[in-house]
Amino acid sequence: GNLSFTTSYQTAIQSAELIIIAVGTPSAADETADLRYVFASAKSLAPYIQENAIVVIKSTVPPGTLEKGIEIIKEATSTKFYGASLPEFLREGSAVHDTLNPDRIVIGATENFVFEKLEELHQKLQAPVVRCKVASAQMAKYTANSYLATRITFINEIANLCEKNGADIDEVIKAIGHDKRIGQHYWYPGLGYGGSCFPKDVKELAAYSRSVGESGNLLNRVNEINSNRIFYLLEKFAKKINGFENKTVAVLGLSFKPNTDDMREAPATKIIPYLSEKGAQIKSYDPMAKYSMEIKNHQQFATIEEACNNADVIMAVVEWPEIIDFDFAKVKNSKTQFFIDCRNQFKSEIVKSWNYQYIGIGKR
Ligand code: UDX
């Protein structure tokens, strides 16, 4: 009974003490954040805003956006209102859990009244609250995502070096992870980061760095490395298996990560067209995502068994439990078959005991 929906700005806004703008901020052609939906909602809500309402931007936006939004509202009304930034840090596939169990609540504002009101809103969650400047809150969101993306890129770069010298990246991670400053978590190497957030936010912060005269900023390079990562690996895999031409390849996992059907910046969207162009037959599988583009020699199947039937190469692209728990001995045929473990989720000895030629990331 606490929740109702409407498509009317008037109904939603006229009695609201807090107004949360949570619209999308996709990347524009020049890779900066496209803020038109944020400003359009500011313009649409402005006529109905009540005295002392707080307009909160939850969308991921660069510093300066709240101020512009406030100006837009002021053009339409003389009612007194406040502004704040309240970035979200949710992951896809666990958004409800992350909402109810946040690591922190970040509130960017200038007035005490606003901090207090927004703290009250989150009181039940009992999470640490960081009160800060508006620009700091906006930077905190970009910084968190860019840091995690850089961490992934860093370990992928180290994995490349391990392949040159016989070290095993998983052992390296274990060894360095005992340093409490570093930790074991959140850096399995793989195909690079994907999804709707990391690629976009790194690109946007890199574009922002260029726009403020910091074009040598590290994030420009992180973005470049990650964008090339899949092609770099595909060329490497191609060498190891003597080319993809005329090979039947099972691509297991189409979403950008498990527990979502989201294919934005998913590795499969680059891998499948690449394999098709190289003359492979592609048979894909995903428990949830549907590959909607027509690609020559590609067909999606409903089961792992069907996708792997007659395959020369199996590529485990996404760490869905259905895929990592599957017994691939069941689909082994009499050919020499390669098993490419794109996320290092399998034990090489086990895959070899099933009679596949194992190819992992950052290990020989
Ligand atoms: C991310 C952030 O985690 C979240 O805090 C933010 O609000 C939105 O962006 P999400 O995009 O849902 O969330 O995915 P996440 O699980 O963090 O993974 C992002 C990408 O990094 C995926 O492509 C994943 O495969 C990749 N990844 C993650 C790695 O390659 N290695 C890792 O160790 C972790």
Side-chain angles (χ1 to χ4, degrees):
N2 285 351
L3 178 66
S4 62
F5 298 89
T6 175
T7 55
S8 152
Y9 271 95
Q10 183 168 9
T11 310
I13 304 300
Q14 64 192 1
S15 59
E17 287 172 71
L18 292 171
I19 300 160
I20 299 179
I21 298 180
V23 296
T25 50
S27 289
D30 63 356
E31 299 193 339
T32 57
D34 180 348
L35 301 171
R36 83 178 87 162
Y37 305 110
V38 175
F39 297 143
S41 51
K43 195 170 178 184
S44 305
L45 68 87
Y48 311 110
I49 199 164
Q50 66 155 317
E51 191 79 17
N52 292 331
I54 304 172
V55 178
V56 177
I57 298 191
K58 199 168 243 313
S59 309
T60 302
V61 296
T65 308
L66 182 69
E67 291 76 1
K68 263 196 211 158
I70 288 174
E71 268 171 42
I72 290 172
I73 299 173
K74 280 187 176 162
E75 277 166 23
T77 178
S78 56
T79 309
K80 183 173 165 49
F81 68 96
Y82 298 90
S85 167
L86 187 69
E88 56 79 20
F89 300 92
L90 314 178
R91 290 163 300 170
E92 269 194 50
S94 53
V96 174
H97 173 271
D98 292 354
T99 300
L100 298 176
N101 304 278
D103 289 333
R104 75 310 212 176
I105 302 293
V106 178
I107 306 172
T110 42
E111 296 86 359
N112 227 3
F113 164 75
V114 177
F115 284 122
E116 277 166 14
K117 234 0 194 203
L118 290 173
E119 272 196 33
E120 193 188 319
L121 179 71
H122 296 93
Q123 210 166 21
K124 278 201 179 155
L125 302 177
Q126 297 201 323
V129 174
V130 179
R131 290 184 176 199
C132 60
K133 290 184 191 173
V134 170
S136 307
Q138 290 162 335
M139 277 303 287
K141 166 66 195 231
Y142 278 115
T143 306
N145 275 0
S146 300
Y147 169 73
L148 294 171
T150 304
R151 191 173 158 100
I152 294 165
T153 305
F154 172 80
I155 212 64
N156 286 337
E157 291 284 280
I158 298 291
N160 293 347
L161 301 183
C162 289
E163 283 174 27
K164 301 279 181 199
N165 56 31
D168 179 323
I169 189 66
D170 294 336
E171 291 176 355
V172 173
I173 291 175
K174 211 183 255 173
I176 62 168
H178 283 289
D179 185 327
K180 291 185 188 60
R181 295 168 301 175
I182 298 176
Q184 314 268 359
H185 59 286
Y186 207 78
W187 47 8
Y188 59 81
L191 299 164
Y193 56 81
S196 65
C197 290
F198 285 176
K200 175 181 102 61
D201 290 353
V202 172
K203 271 184 209 156
E204 287 178 8
L205 200 51
Y208 177 76
S209 75
R210 297 193 295 276
S211 77
V212 293
E214 293 287 338
S215 52
N217 188 284
L218 167 71
L219 295 173
N220 291 286
R221 185 71 188 124
V222 170
N223 176 41
E224 201 176 59
I225 293 171
N226 194 68
S227 306
N228 293 334
R229 172 98 186 135
I230 290 175
F231 299 111
Y232 168 85
L233 286 175
L234 284 166
E235 295 294 326
K236 212 183 247 186
F237 298 151
K239 267 194 205 135
K240 290 190 179 172
I241 69 164
N242 201 18
F244 282 107
E245 195 178 356
N246 295 327
K247 293 208 166 69
T248 300
V249 184
V251 173
L252 306 181
L254 298 172
S255 54
F256 87 91
K257 69 171 199 179
N259 301 321
T260 175
D261 64 355
D262 192 347
M263 291 186 59
R264 283 177 287 178
E265 301 271 349
T269 60
K270 290 180 180 167
I271 293 173
I272 291 174
Y274 171 96
L275 294 175
S276 170
E277 198 205 295
K278 296 290 172 193
Q281 294 283 335
I282 309 120
K283 301 168 84 179
S284 69
Y285 161 81
D286 191 279
M288 231 188 238
K290 285 259 166 306
Y291 198 95
S292 53
M293 280 213 330
E294 272 292 319
I295 301 279
K296 191 172 163 223
N297 295 334
H298 167 241
Q299 199 182 347
Q300 182 170 350
F301 291 87
T303 64
I304 298 180
E305 281 89 343
E306 288 169 284
C308 292
N309 183 28
N310 199 36
D312 298 290
V313 184
I314 295 175
M315 291 182 77
V317 173
V318 182
E319 63 279 27
W320 279 100
E322 289 86 340
I323 297 171
I324 54 179
D325 296 337
F326 187 77
D327 177 9
F328 285 91
K330 284 203 304 200
V331 291
K332 181 74 189 78
N333 58 36
S334 55
K335 301 193 263 191
T336 300
Q337 282 178 292
F338 295 93
F339 190 100
I340 308 181
D341 180 7
C342 300
R343 308 266 179 188
N344 283 2
Q345 296 290 317
F346 293 83
K347 287 214 163 24
S348 60
E349 314 84 71
I350 295 182
V351 176
K352 284 176 192 164
S353 77
W354 294 331
N355 275 329
Y356 292 95
Q357 311 277 320
Y358 177 85
I359 300 172
I361 306 278
K363 52 179 81 176
R364 282 190 188 154

